[in-house]
Amino acid sequence: MKKSSFVALVMGTVSGVLFALGMCMALLPEWNAFTEGIIFGAVGIVLSIITALIWCKMENKKLPKMNGKNVFRTIYAIVSALILGVGMCLCLVWEQIIWGTVVGLLGIIMLIALIPMIKGIK
């Protein structure tokens, strides 16, 4: 494993955990930690941006260009992850197992479709 990949792995994991913990703190009323959750979530987002910048610097790569294709891919990835999350909520929170499974599988298929969308088919 290259040094840049290891640094990105560690920093990405820490930023993801901070963001997830912050969202739990903010969205679970039982925890009574909304403000602290927003702070943790924001720190996680900032750390993930810093991780991407450090990784690009260590790999001597340029940042991705902001063109229509990349914006569409980003929006598509966000929508796909939200659909997967809705499927999980249907199963776990609202106990709609069949609909939750269908919606969750749709989200997974949409996320898998990102691979050929980004890498292409050769």
Side-chain angles (χ1 to χ4, degrees), residues 2-86:
K2 294 190 328 188
K3 185 178 179 180
S4 60
S5 298
F6 181 72
V7 169
L9 175 74
V10 171
M11 290 182 69
T13 301
V14 170
S15 66
V17 167
L18 282 175
F19 179 74
L21 182 62
M23 292 301 97
C24 287
M25 290 168 69
L27 297 174
L28 292 174
E30 297 88 16
W31 290 18
N32 198 22
F34 182 79
T35 305
E36 296 86 352
I38 296 297
I39 293 169
F40 268 66
V43 168
I45 290 173
V46 169
L47 188 59
S48 68
I49 292 170
I50 292 170
T51 301
L53 294 174
I54 289 173
W55 183 80
C56 285
K57 181 77 171 166
M58 290 178 82
E59 289 285 320
N60 293 323
K61 293 187 177 187
K62 296 178 183 176
L63 291 173
K65 295 178 183 175
M66 287 295 289
N67 56 19
K69 222 173 174 181
N70 287 339
V71 171
F72 171 75
R73 290 174 180 161
T74 303
I75 292 171
Y76 180 83
I78 291 169
V79 169
S80 302
L82 286 173
I83 289 174
L84 175 60
V86 167

